[in-house]
Amino acid sequence: MISRRTFLSVLFASCLTLLSWLNFVPAATALGGKLPAMNQPAPEFTLPTNTGDGEVSLSDYRGQWVVLYFYPKDFTSGCTLEARRFQQDLPKYVDKNAQILGVSADSVDSHAEFCDSEGLKFPLLADAGGSVSKAYGSWNTFLSMRHSFIIDPEGILRETFVDVRPAIHSTEVLARLDELQGAAS
């Protein structure tokens, strides 16, 4: 017998597949909206999280590089793989003075379960209404899209990733972070 969580995840993924196959989502929404401008201040935000003081703001990380990644749903295969890769590479990010922040529309409780289940040691932020995902051009009707952003220590957006492949994404982000930090030196 399959668990309720597995059943709901499969049902949810099936519905998304059917909707995309039927092209139910309007084209402008399917693209996630307008991405923020490169080399400009990244959109500021404060969101609830399952770690620390219960809320995280982008401004909390001034003086550090930030890898802000948006993903559709806790406990789904691609999102789990992506989170595992970020966790696996976490010491490399720490060595580069970079903080990873994951964002999805899932609840704080779901994030807590996901972090416990996968051993994640970086904050996941609950963007239930999608306001931050929308500000970053990463919202698709009721889910965050799989986009990532690198923000420098002054809060300036330095890189955008919209064609994300979960299995290799952390490696790509680390390589680009190396380039950006080398150019900033």
Side-chain angles (χ1 to χ4, degrees):
M1 178 144 205
I2 61 174
S3 72
R4 181 177 179 196
R5 180 184 306 154
T6 302
F7 173 76
L8 291 175
S9 292
V10 169
L11 179 63
F12 183 71
S14 299
C15 289
L16 285 179
T17 302
L18 179 63
L19 288 175
S20 66
W21 182 71
L22 293 173
N23 198 21
F24 187 77
V25 178
T29 304
L31 297 174
K34 185 173 172 25
L35 294 169
M38 294 287 289
N39 302 315
Q40 296 296 315
E44 184 56 53
F45 61 83
T46 299
L47 287 173
T49 183
N50 60 302
T51 61
D53 296 329
E55 278 193 343
V56 166
S57 297
L58 180 59
S59 60
D60 295 341
Y61 298 99
R62 283 297 189 293
Q64 278 187 281
W65 290 82
V66 173
V67 174
L68 181 65
Y69 85 97
F70 293 85
Y71 64 100
K73 187 127 184 77
D74 293 340
F75 298 105
T76 56
S77 59
C79 299
T80 300
L81 180 60
E82 185 176 23
R84 285 177 181 166
R85 294 295 192 260
F86 277 123
Q87 180 59 44
Q88 175 184 332
D89 292 335
L90 188 59
K92 296 174 186 173
Y93 287 101
V94 171
D95 288 346
K96 295 179 182 311
N97 190 33
Q99 174 66 52
I100 299 168
L101 299 174
V103 178
S104 81
D106 291 307
S107 69
V108 170
D109 290 340
S110 177
H111 287 335
E113 286 181 42
F114 190 46
C115 285
D116 288 345
S117 169
E118 298 303 323
L120 305 179
K121 305 295 184 207
F122 54 85
L124 297 180
L125 313 181
D127 188 19
S131 62
V132 175
S133 297
K134 289 173 189 170
Y136 280 85
S138 302
W139 187 247
N140 189 356
T141 310
F142 56 92
L143 289 174
S144 297
M145 297 180 69
R146 196 178 308 281
H147 293 164
S148 296
F149 303 87
I150 298 177
I151 301 165
D152 76 11
E154 287 77 43
I156 305 299
L157 179 63
R158 296 298 179 190
E159 188 61 66
T160 301
F161 298 87
V162 294
D163 186 22
V164 173
R165 293 178 292 171
I168 62 169
H169 186 54
S170 181
T171 303
E172 294 172 330
V173 172
L174 278 168
R176 185 63 181 132
L177 188 58
D178 274 342
E179 292 171 6
L180 289 167
Q181 288 180 337
S185 297

